[in-house]
Amino acid sequence: MGKAREKSQILRFRVYGPLYSNDALETAPTGMSKKNKLIIIFYNHQLLLFLYNRKENGKIVGIIPFPDALSTDGLSISIPAEAKKLKEIILVLPDYVAGNSIYPFTSEKRSIAEPFIRRKLTETFPASPDISEFFNFSNFKTAMEPASIYAFYLKESIAFLVYNRLSEAGLRPDRITTPGYIWQDKIAKNADHESGKSFCIIHPLVDECQLYFYVNGNFLFSRTIKLPGPSEGNKEKLDALAFEISQSLYLFSQKVKSEISTFYIVPSTDIDEKGLSEKIGKNIQSIVTDSKEILTAGNKNLMPGPFSAFSLADIDSTTIPAISHRAVVMEKFWHTVQLTGIITGVLTLILLCAETAYFSYWSNRNILPKTASMSKDINDNRMIVGHYNEMLDLVMNERERPDPADIIAGIALSLPEKVTARELLFNLDAPSQVVIKGIVRADGPDSIKLTLSEMVEGLTLNLKPNRPPVIGDIGFDMEGSAVDQLIQGYKFHIKVDMK
């Protein structure tokens, strides 16, 4: 490995959120606000409940043990009353409960992608049906994978247990995330030039160190490294960390066949950044958080382990990659539709009432003839507007239809030398189609298959159809080929479904 540069760059994060202190914890208002949220952190089989509002001080309202055998009634009794009244709930779980996969996928439509991912998860995890209910995804393109889906999901039974127990106790989480995804959001906001690349975050703690690895800006995996105890010196900690990072880099390269381009480290008095940079042969950038938000009680940090680098504002960010139960996703979707319908109905009612009041007022002033004339003008104007709307719809439909000239040019580019097109049939009404009839000249079956495969690949590349054609879509007219001795080949036809 090459020698690392002596000076480390510094990546500075600014956290815009309320400041927390001992006084904030003791004097935080108990009154409920509509904008209050409940942030629940699950760590070491404990539930930490934080009441949070961006405009007010936040506070911790409960620390509840969560053994696997805890009953729903027992959990419900332990939850503070003020927490039960909150509607928006964010659940933060450790990284190990989440998994991710990258699937080749050309379409960017959610209506197609979601069933595809659900089917993939069901096939991959047949013994865990809950996984297909807890997932999310994003589309991305790279030079190696021009069209792919990054799917992330919950995979450990403890995650489903925590979610179900909280839901039964009246605290159904709206969003579920992990430290790895929170870091992903922080890097994307503060280092845009690196967020689309592969990078590593090093977060040293008192007796352990968290390593986070990202590919193309997406979280891949994390590791918890146990560091030597207090009796050992900082050199031993540095050696142990450097060794584990090297092992993790090998694991990363095995998984994604690429290398880490950038390393970040959260500064620590126990880890010499320059020494670590030299040992691993990589330049390391320091992440300096400007936040003074320290949620403490008796000088003891209440944000545990890997969460200690985050503020409640970080966790509350709406741009963090998060997972929701599919039922919650659908519920929110239909809530938006219903709300839009209600608002539209109310506005329509107001306009009708105003129109009724207007005509009633002028009818009382005995000018009904003039009102009738105005009403006629209004109806005429409505008919004119309706006519223009119809014409606009026709124009938009015509613009959306594919251009036959472009289709013909694409077909011409796709035909191999031994294929001749004799007839093209177009159907430009949605869904648009083109039928290609032609002749293929070849010496034998293998040559025919090779030539037609080349044509199919060319049609997929040049026409970009809605469904890529395959060799099985091609039909042959063997009787016609035998009768017509002038064609010197075999007649074929293929139908291509355009967008």
Side-chain angles (χ1 to χ4, degrees):
M1 292 184 287
K3 185 178 180 180
R5 287 184 291 180
E6 294 183 357
K7 293 184 179 179
S8 296
Q9 299 178 359
I10 296 178
L11 177 63
R12 185 171 295 277
F13 285 157
R14 295 190 179 276
V15 180
Y16 300 94
L19 301 183
Y20 294 78
S21 64
N22 294 340
D23 295 336
L25 285 170
E26 294 171 1
T27 62
T30 57
M32 298 299 295
S33 169
K34 292 183 179 180
K35 295 184 179 180
N36 281 343
K37 299 178 183 179
L38 183 65
I39 296 177
I40 304 175
I41 295 179
F42 176 73
Y43 184 72
N44 281 347
H45 284 260
Q46 281 189 328
L47 296 173
L48 282 71
L49 279 61
F50 296 90
L51 185 66
Y52 176 64
N53 187 328
R54 285 185 177 268
K55 295 183 179 181
E56 301 173 3
N57 287 331
K59 63 174 182 177
I60 185 167
V61 294
I63 301 177
I64 305 173
F66 191 88
D68 295 346
L70 179 66
S71 65
T72 301
D73 293 338
L75 177 60
S76 180
I77 293 173
S78 303
I79 297 174
E82 57 186 331
K84 291 183 178 181
K85 297 178 182 178
L86 300 178
K87 300 300 182 183
E88 188 169 352
I89 302 171
I90 303 170
L91 175 61
V92 188
L93 299 173
D95 288 314
Y96 73 86
V97 306
N100 53 75
S101 301
I102 298 176
Y103 303 114
F105 195 77
T106 56
S107 176
E108 295 185 359
K109 296 181 178 179
R110 295 192 68 89
S111 58
I112 300 176
E114 290 184 5
F116 170 78
I117 296 173
R118 187 188 292 269
R119 184 175 68 255
K120 285 288 186 180
L121 294 177
T122 302
E123 294 173 355
T124 307
F125 305 97
S128 300
D130 288 332
I131 292 180
S132 62
E133 299 295 334
F134 292 88
F135 69 87
N136 202 346
F137 69 95
S138 61
N139 299 88
F140 72 93
K141 298 179 180 180
T142 65
M144 297 295 294
E145 297 171 290
S148 300
I149 281 182
Y150 170 78
F152 52 104
Y153 42 83
L154 300 182
K155 64 177 183 178
E156 297 294 334
S157 58
I158 185 62
F160 309 128
L161 178 62
V162 172
Y163 179 88
N164 292 332
R165 290 288 170 81
L166 288 173
S167 299
E168 293 166 1
L171 299 181
R172 186 189 70 176
D174 297 288
R175 290 181 286 150
I176 306 170
T177 189
T178 71
Y181 295 119
I182 299 174
W183 273 120
Q184 178 177 323
D185 182 61
K186 287 173 71 69
I187 293 293
K189 288 178 178 177
N190 296 278
D192 294 336
H193 61 291
E194 298 289 354
S195 60
K197 299 181 180 180
S198 299
F199 58 92
C200 171
I201 298 174
I202 306 168
H203 182 199
L205 300 170
V206 177
D207 55 358
E208 64 183 27
C209 182
Q210 296 293 132
L211 303 178
Y212 303 90
F213 294 87
Y214 298 81
V215 57
N216 300 318
N218 296 293
F219 177 64
L220 186 63
F221 68 91
S222 67
R223 289 192 63 196
T224 300
I225 307 302
K226 292 296 181 181
L227 298 177
S231 60
E232 302 289 343
N234 288 343
K235 182 180 182 303
E236 285 71 17
K237 289 186 177 181
L238 192 66
D239 291 340
L241 182 56
F243 173 78
E244 293 295 343
I245 290 176
S246 299
Q247 294 295 105
S248 300
L249 292 180
Y250 176 77
L251 176 62
F252 179 88
S253 63
Q254 290 292 104
K255 281 180 172 288
V256 297
K257 309 301 180 184
S258 67
E259 300 295 331
I260 296 290
S261 60
T262 307
F263 290 79
Y264 301 114
I265 186 170
V266 179
S268 170
T269 56
D270 295 334
I271 300 299
D272 177 15
E273 298 174 22
K274 181 179 178 181
L276 181 61
S277 178
E278 292 176 351
K279 282 185 176 294
I280 66 174
K282 303 288 184 179
N283 182 48
I284 300 178
Q285 301 182 33
S286 293
I287 300 177
V288 180
T289 57
D290 287 344
S291 172
K292 296 179 181 178
E293 179 183 67
I294 303 174
L295 193 58
T296 62
N299 295 325
K300 180 182 179 182
N301 191 5
L302 293 179
M303 295 292 272
F307 305 96
S308 60
F310 306 134
S311 66
L312 295 181
D314 292 332
I315 300 175
D316 181 49
S317 173
T318 57
T319 55
I320 292 175
I323 299 168
S324 298
H325 193 286
R326 305 320 295 172
V328 175
V329 174
M330 292 302 299
E331 181 180 306
K332 289 186 175 182
F333 170 78
W334 285 112
H335 175 74
T336 303
V337 174
Q338 292 172 353
L339 182 61
T340 303
I342 292 173
I343 293 174
T344 303
V346 170
L347 292 176
T348 303
L349 179 61
I350 292 174
L351 291 175
L352 290 175
C353 290
E355 185 180 29
T356 302
Y358 175 81
F359 284 117
S360 177
Y361 171 77
W362 286 108
S363 64
N364 292 335
R365 296 178 62 89
N366 297 320
I367 53 172
L368 289 178
K370 185 176 181 179
T371 304
S373 176
M374 292 175 60
S375 177
K376 182 177 182 301
D377 291 340
I378 292 174
N379 289 332
D380 291 343
N381 289 336
R382 287 176 177 173
M383 293 179 64
I384 293 173
V385 171
H387 175 70
Y388 279 118
N389 284 336
E390 292 177 0
M391 296 301 296
L392 182 60
D393 290 339
L394 289 175
V395 172
M396 294 300 293
N397 289 336
E398 288 297 326
R399 291 188 63 183
E400 291 179 356
R401 290 186 179 184
D403 188 351
D406 292 340
I407 298 177
I408 293 174
I411 293 174
L413 292 173
S414 305
L415 297 181
E417 182 180 353
K418 295 182 179 181
V419 174
T420 303
R422 302 188 69 184
E423 184 177 359
L424 301 178
L425 302 177
F426 294 90
N427 177 15
L428 300 181
D429 293 329
S432 58
Q433 298 173 335
V434 59
V435 178
I436 305 170
K437 295 184 177 181
I439 298 173
V440 56
R441 296 176 297 279
D443 299 332
D446 293 338
S447 179
I448 292 177
K449 183 176 181 180
L450 183 62
T451 301
L452 294 180
S453 295
E454 182 182 350
M455 180 188 70
V456 167
E457 292 178 0
L459 292 174
T460 301
L461 177 64
N462 296 312
L463 297 184
K464 295 181 173 55
N466 186 44
R467 183 185 68 83
V470 295
I471 194 73
D473 295 335
I474 300 175
F476 290 92
D477 184 5
M478 302 304 295
E479 295 182 359
S481 300
V483 172
D484 191 348
Q485 300 297 326
L486 298 177
I487 64 174
Q488 297 180 354
Y490 296 92
K491 292 183 178 181
F492 73 90
H493 60 273
I494 181 173
K495 180 172 67 175
V496 182
D497 297 326
M498 306 299 296
K499 293 184 178 179

